[in-house]
Amino acid sequence: MALARLGHAVTGRLRRPLHLLHPPPPPLTDHHAAVAHSFALIHESTRARGFASSPYNAGGVIGYKGQSPVYTVKVLELLLQINHTRSMSTAAQAEPPSLSKAPTPSQTSSKVPLGARKVGMKVVMMSPGFVYEPYSIREPIPFWKRWFTPSGWRRTKEDVILEMKNAYAVSRLRKKTGYTKKQFYDQAFKIYKEVNTLMARGDTPSLRKILTERMHSTIKNELKKRQSMWSSVHWELVEPAVCIRTLRARMIGLDKNDLDKAFIQLTLEFVTKQKFEAYNTKGEVVSGDKSKEVLVKDIWVFERSLFHPGAYWRVCGRITL
């Protein structure tokens, strides 16, 4: 009897379905369900746009606060592997650089700033395009205030610094170009005369060589205004000049490690006698009198490069006090 009962029990077990022999695992806890739900949403978003462009995926996993962050880290690692595989496959389908079209000249060209010139693929600065520390008249102060008051001491310090800047700029200029005052004054006076003569004729193209780019643009605009008022002008310089003196010298450095890579600006005051007369379209005198000499005072700024081969002096500005 015992053997019969044992045989019936074994036969019953063999006839049972497999899912009854091995019961299913218990349902996921809230922690596992939340992570799995986040992974499903992220995977769906990743298939459409990629992991890096999905606005939800990072917050869905990283922002989750569960009891065991190990599951979150594993999910992130899996997502990064999926995204890396997709990005590599996308890059493999892209056109190789060797087969891409060469850029057109208009795409490779860049705008060159005012005061610079493009030579091949190298941009060379021909002028800073501004007057560094323009000259202005310093208000005189009495002796007692200069030496016995704090404001006078500060003013004295400023004056000493200005003079040191002047001396340093001239010393660098003399060392690099062999500058002498007499030679420079002769060149500056010739340039002063030539610029005024060409302006009286209205010859703007010839002015380009002896003016910087910004100064040439300024003179060109002034000539347009003058031609709208007067048809022609007569200008004459009475030589020699009454007085020429240096008011300021400045050096504009471009590289702190190379002192020779710089521009020098010298501010000169010209006191001369001139004759001027303006005419309308009918040739009638509308302004001035060429028979009379007029004493004129001008302040011009001359500029020269210390590092360009064959550099020469040009007018870079005028100062009105």
Side-chain angles (χ1 to χ4, degrees), residues 254-316:
L254 303 181
D255 188 352
K256 63 179 181 180
N257 298 322
D258 188 359
L259 298 179
D260 294 336
K261 196 172 184 180
F263 290 89
I264 296 292
Q265 292 183 350
L266 297 183
T267 303
L268 298 187
E269 181 187 59
F270 296 92
V271 180
T272 60
K273 293 181 180 180
Q274 304 176 11
K275 298 179 181 180
F276 175 81
E277 198 169 79
Y279 311 93
N280 58 14
T281 55
K282 298 180 181 179
E284 299 174 348
V285 178
V286 293
S287 180
D289 186 355
K290 64 180 181 181
S291 61
K292 295 181 180 179
E293 297 180 356
V294 180
L295 190 66
V296 179
K297 180 185 295 185
D298 288 321
I299 299 177
W300 287 20
V301 183
F302 293 82
E303 179 182 281
R304 174 174 176 165
S305 169
L306 294 182
F307 61 98
H308 287 108
Y312 53 88
W313 290 103
R314 298 191 298 172
V315 181
C316 68

Side-chain angles (χ1 to χ4, degrees), residues 35-314:
V35 175
H37 180 65
S38 301
F39 173 77
L41 292 176
I42 294 170
H43 179 66
E44 184 66 26
S45 176
T46 306
R47 288 194 304 169
R49 294 173 293 177
F51 181 74
S53 62
S54 175
Y56 170 79
N57 49 21
V61 177
I62 299 175
Y64 177 76
K65 298 181 180 179
Q67 298 177 354
S68 177
V70 177
Y71 298 97
T72 303
V73 174
K74 293 296 183 182
V75 171
L76 281 175
E77 291 178 355
L78 179 59
L79 289 177
L80 290 175
Q81 292 177 2
I82 294 174
N83 182 66
H84 179 68
T85 305
R86 289 179 54 82
S87 62
M88 290 295 291
S89 62
T90 305
Q93 298 174 1
E95 184 180 6
S98 59
L99 299 180
S100 60
K101 296 181 179 179
T104 60
S106 59
Q107 294 174 345
T108 58
S109 61
S110 58
K111 294 183 179 179
V112 180
L114 187 64
R117 183 175 302 169
K118 190 173 182 181
V119 182
M121 296 302 294
K122 184 179 180 180
V123 177
V124 180
M125 177 179 288
M126 303 303 296
S127 171
F130 64 94
V131 177
Y132 177 59
E133 293 187 358
Y135 171 80
S136 60
I137 299 177
R138 306 280 289 178
E139 181 182 358
I141 58 176
F143 177 83
W144 64 269
K145 186 176 182 179
R146 177 180 291 275
W147 295 106
F148 299 105
T149 62
S151 61
W153 299 336
R154 288 191 295 268
R155 171 62 182 277
T156 302
K157 179 181 178 181
E158 293 174 359
D159 293 343
V160 171
I161 293 175
L162 292 177
E163 291 301 324
M164 291 177 64
K165 289 182 178 181
N166 292 336
Y168 181 73
V170 172
S171 65
R172 295 300 303 175
L173 179 63
R174 182 178 292 111
K175 180 179 180 180
K176 292 295 296 182
T177 66
Y179 162 87
T180 61
K181 181 183 290 188
K182 183 181 184 305
Q183 183 181 8
F184 170 66
Y185 280 5
D186 292 340
Q187 294 179 358
F189 187 69
K190 290 179 181 179
I191 295 174
Y192 176 81
K193 180 180 178 180
E194 185 177 1
V195 170
N196 282 287
T197 302
L198 293 175
M199 288 178 60
R201 297 176 184 172
D203 189 358
T204 53
S206 299
L207 285 169
R208 187 177 296 275
K209 184 178 180 181
I210 53 181
L211 303 177
T212 62
E213 286 76 6
R214 188 174 296 275
M215 188 61 185
H216 182 266
S217 178
T218 302
I219 294 295
K220 189 176 181 179
N221 293 332
E222 291 181 1
L223 290 179
K224 288 182 179 179
K225 294 180 181 179
R226 191 197 72 185
Q227 291 171 358
S228 64
M229 299 171 53
W230 304 325
S231 176
S232 60
V233 297
H234 169 83
W235 181 87
E236 182 181 351
L237 179 64
V238 180
E239 300 185 39
V242 177
C243 177
I244 302 177
R245 64 173 181 148
T246 304
L247 301 179
R248 176 157 293 182
R250 288 293 181 268
M251 186 178 79
I252 305 175
L254 303 181
D255 188 352
K256 63 179 181 180
N257 298 322
D258 188 359
L259 298 179
D260 294 336
K261 196 172 184 180
F263 290 89
I264 296 292
Q265 292 183 350
L266 297 183
T267 303
L268 298 187
E269 181 187 59
F270 296 92
V271 180
T272 60
K273 293 181 180 180
Q274 304 176 11
K275 298 179 181 180
F276 175 81
E277 198 169 79
Y279 311 93
N280 58 14
T281 55
K282 298 180 181 179
E284 299 174 348
V285 178
V286 293
S287 180
D289 186 355
K290 64 180 181 181
S291 61
K292 295 181 180 179
E293 297 180 356
V294 180
L295 190 66
V296 179
K297 180 185 295 185
D298 288 321
I299 299 177
W300 287 20
V301 183
F302 293 82
E303 179 182 281
R304 174 174 176 165
S305 169
L306 294 182
F307 61 98
H308 287 108
Y312 53 88
W313 290 103
R314 298 191 298 172

